[in-house]
Amino acid sequence: MVHHLSKSWRGLAAACLAGAALSAVPAGAAHAAPPAEDRVTVTAAGSPAYDLTGELSSGAIAVLDNVATFETDKIQGTGSLPGADGGTANVSFRIARTLFGLKGDFTLKDPGAGVEISARINGGVTAPGQATVRWEGNGTVRRGDSSATRPVTFTVEDRRPDPGDHAIRITHAGQARNAILRLPDDYDGTPRPVLFHFPGLLESPGAAEYFGRMADYAQTRGFIMITPEHHGIGWQGVPGGTSSPDVDDPGFVRRLQDILVERFNADPARLYASGMSNGGFFTHRMACENDRFAAYVAVAGQLTGTASCRPGRHVPIVMIHGDGDFVVPYATVQPALDFWTSHNGCGTRSVATQLPDIAPDDNTTVVRHDYPDCAADGPVILYQIKGGGHNWPGGLPFLGPFLGGTTYDIEANAVIWDFVSQYHLP
């Protein structure tokens, strides 16, 4: 039930009316305003003291985070802002995490005030707020021909997010909750679609990325990838997850949807959900309860509790499951398939297509099952991995061959994105 660890990488619109149709065309602009410019504050003790606060007029300072620890990983960039006594001040940050913490250099030059400040950073960086970092220590302050060592502080508010990995750290329902997201290489603050991925049992966001490489896939394809961390061993209200009502995973997901729209200018009509194993079960739960997602894909996890599943509209959904999966047996597919085809008005006619066996050495093949009579806004598709086990198609097997075969005839990342990206909410 575990599955996918990583390098550093990289949530609400109004609910849809019952029966509202989805469209398989690109969405329009999101409703959030473009983000403000990055803001920098620099102070230096002395007589006179130096104090500068302002938004960058050019350049950018990137504050990036680590997928495994959710801690600040880099503070890098250069920028200009109005000087303390007129003119233009320039700042530069070159700080990165090493085995011994954040290290690097900071410089400021403010010709109008006749001040230059430089500091060697060796720890001491804190994160007092979301996307905000602060450092205090000793630096060199130059005024004219004189220089002295003085207490120096800087604060960077990364209000215009940059491509790369960003942590979301919030308190929800009394619990500290985390998520990591990657903004794609061409991210410029314009509205973007977002794929949520819910990891499996005992699986961290870092593990999901290491074994599935979903953020790497998103990075060059223009969409935002976010992987929330479950509280405890798994997602609430589905097999293997916590049953504690204090956790409120559905509410946590809605908070993340808000944050994505408000801070990262995500398109609220193009939010999508996917998940693996316990996260796949939770993806089905989201399809039942969270209609702010436009489409869903579950891998190796199926719908449970069909009696309580009452979506207010047709649900575009794909299921991917290995018929040799002994962790979540393939027998769990049919009840879920029956529910979604009935809910979406698909009837019973299906079409099975044998996909090309492009990786014969993996000892698997893939059959795609389509239901051509489904409503246009509610397709249901099953990818049966013949000989496949409890692993991410196209990824690294979590425990080698122990959890069964891994297919390389399809890549789950591509199947997911090619499907969900066709749909948006009205």
Side-chain angles (χ1 to χ4, degrees):
M1 297 177 212
V2 263
H3 198 212
H4 351 281
L5 235 183
S6 151
K7 65 177 185 180
S8 290
W9 63 284
R10 321 286 202 220
L12 298 178
C16 297
L17 297 175
L22 293 170
S23 302
V25 295
H31 306 304
E37 298 296 338
D38 297 340
R39 186 177 183 87
V40 175
T41 298
V42 180
T43 67
S47 183
Y50 179 81
D51 192 343
L52 174 66
T53 298
E55 293 184 354
L56 296 187
S57 54
S58 65
I61 311 301
V63 177
L64 303 177
D65 300 303
N66 186 284
V67 64
T69 65
F70 308 106
E71 295 178 329
T72 302
D73 211 39
K74 295 179 181 179
I75 309 166
Q76 293 186 340
T78 60
S80 301
L81 67 160
D85 293 326
T88 299
N90 298 296
V91 293
S92 174
F93 299 83
R94 296 185 303 171
I95 304 167
R97 184 169 297 279
T98 70
L99 290 175
F100 304 102
L102 287 166
K103 294 188 175 184
D105 300 287
F106 157 71
T107 61
L108 174 142
K109 296 180 179 182
D110 188 348
V115 172
E116 293 187 14
I117 300 173
S118 61
R120 180 65 181 168
I121 312 303
N122 188 358
V125 178
T126 60
Q130 186 68 49
T132 301
V133 292
R134 185 176 189 272
W135 174 83
E136 54 183 314
N138 289 324
T140 300
V141 181
R142 297 176 179 85
R143 292 181 181 272
D145 294 330
S146 65
S147 67
T149 299
R150 303 290 188 201
V152 173
T153 68
F154 69 71
T155 301
V156 177
E157 300 172 60
D158 189 14
R159 302 197 294 177
R160 180 176 286 275
D162 304 274
D165 298 334
H166 299 264
I168 296 175
R169 299 176 290 265
I170 62 173
T171 298
H172 179 75
Q175 308 288 347
R177 304 301 300 267
N178 300 308
I180 198 80
L181 63 90
R182 181 170 296 176
L183 300 182
D185 288 342
D186 64 350
Y187 179 81
D188 56 3
T190 56
R192 297 301 177 103
V194 179
L195 178 62
F196 280 65
H197 179 70
F198 302 111
L201 201 68
L202 299 174
E203 182 180 46
S204 68
E209 174 58 15
Y210 180 79
F211 291 102
R213 298 299 184 194
M214 300 184 74
D216 286 352
Y217 183 86
Q219 183 172 339
T220 59
R221 290 166 174 83
F223 67 94
I224 301 171
M225 183 77 218
I226 179 169
T227 306
E229 180 184 47
H230 44 59
H231 187 274
I233 66 172
W235 295 100
Q236 182 184 45
V238 297
T242 180
S243 59
S244 171
D246 295 336
V247 173
D248 186 24
D249 277 338
F252 172 51
V253 173
R254 290 190 292 271
R255 282 279 302 277
L256 291 176
Q257 289 172 313
D258 282 337
I259 291 170
L260 264 295
V261 171
E262 294 165 4
R263 179 170 176 234
F264 298 96
N265 204 22
D267 186 341
R270 295 187 291 168
L271 307 178
Y272 310 108
S274 65
M276 168 67 194
S277 189
N278 170 263
F281 287 115
F282 190 71
T283 300
H284 282 279
R285 181 178 179 185
M286 291 294 93
C288 298
E289 299 178 12
N290 190 318
D291 59 4
R292 295 173 69 179
F293 290 120
Y296 309 79
V297 180
V299 180
Q302 295 301 334
L303 176 65
T304 59
T306 57
S308 61
C309 184
R310 299 183 180 88
R313 57 172 171 85
H314 291 149
V315 174
I317 192 164
V318 164
M319 290 167 276
I320 305 174
H321 212 115
D323 62 13
D325 188 339
F326 63 85
V327 180
V328 181
Y330 191 72
T332 62
V333 172
Q334 195 61 50
L337 193 61
D338 290 344
F339 176 85
W340 290 119
T341 54
S342 174
H343 176 79
N344 288 358
C346 301
T348 59
R349 184 169 69 100
S350 64
V351 176
T353 303
Q354 180 75 52
L355 302 187
D357 187 12
I358 61 176
D361 291 343
D362 66 14
N363 298 313
T364 70
T365 57
V366 180
V367 178
R368 171 173 165 156
H369 300 270
D370 290 272
Y371 289 78
D373 299 325
C374 291
D377 61 350
V380 177
I381 301 171
L382 167 65
Y383 286 84
Q384 177 186 5
I385 315 300
K386 298 182 74 64
H390 198 71
N391 288 307
W392 189 256
L396 296 174
F398 177 70
L399 294 175
F402 178 73
L403 295 180
T406 300
T407 189
Y408 295 95
D409 295 323
I410 62 170
E411 182 182 356
N413 297 336
V415 170
I416 291 168
W417 185 245
D418 289 349
F419 175 75
V420 299
S421 60
Q422 301 177 72
Y423 300 95
H424 71 81
L425 298 177

